[in-house]
């Protein structure tokens, strides 16, 4: 049975590879990406709109949403996309 000796350099190289892998997992987009979900009252305050206007945005498909247990959630990136899509050009 051959004996392998692990040096400090080997451990340092392993550490660097491990850190690269962990950063890749944390920084990559996957099923657990850090998506900011907002509730209706937050969206209304952000856009300065009424509850009826928010409902119209949902009904006509302008703003996507998810409903869980009676609470409606919106992705912050979807709200940003709606705002950017409505920029008026001169």
């Amino acid at each position: 049975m051959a004996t392998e000796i692990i040096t400090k350099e080997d451990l340092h190289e392993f550490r660097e590879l491990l850190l690269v892998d962990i950063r890749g997992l944390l920084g990559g987009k996957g099923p657990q990406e850090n998506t900011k979900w907002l509730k209706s009252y937050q969206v209304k305050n952000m856009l300065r709109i009424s509850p009826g206007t928010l409902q119209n945005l949902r009904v006509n498909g302008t703003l996507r949403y998810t409903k869980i247990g009676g609470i409606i959630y919106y992705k912050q990136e979807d709200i940003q996309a709606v705002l950017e899509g409505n920029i008026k050009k001169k």
Side-chain angles (χ1 to χ4, degrees):
M1 196 171 192
T3 304
E4 290 187 38
I5 298 175
I6 299 175
T7 64
K8 287 183 179 182
E9 290 81 24
D10 293 335
L11 291 173
H12 183 69
E13 183 180 339
F14 174 74
R15 176 184 173 270
E16 293 299 320
L17 291 172
L18 185 61
L19 287 173
V20 167
D21 289 345
I22 290 172
R23 285 185 187 119
L25 290 172
L26 293 177
K29 292 189 176 189
Q32 294 188 358
E33 83 181 4
N34 291 330
T35 301
K36 175 91 172 168
W37 291 93
L38 302 171
K39 292 183 179 180
S40 293
Y41 78 92
Q42 294 170 311
V43 175
K44 288 186 297 185
N45 290 340
M46 180 186 294
L47 300 178
R48 292 185 173 91
I49 57 175
S50 69
T53 302
L54 184 57
Q55 182 179 5
N56 285 336
L57 292 174
R58 283 194 313 266
V59 170
N60 67 22
T62 302
L63 195 54
R64 298 186 308 171
Y65 66 96
T66 300
K67 187 173 183 178
I68 301 173
I71 300 174
I72 299 174
Y73 296 95
Y74 306 85
K75 281 187 181 180
Q76 187 171 6
E77 61 191 35
D78 289 344
I79 296 165
Q80 191 66 32
V82 168
L83 288 173
E84 290 174 0
N86 288 325
I87 294 175
K88 303 289 184 199
K89 297 182 180 178
K90 289 185 179 182

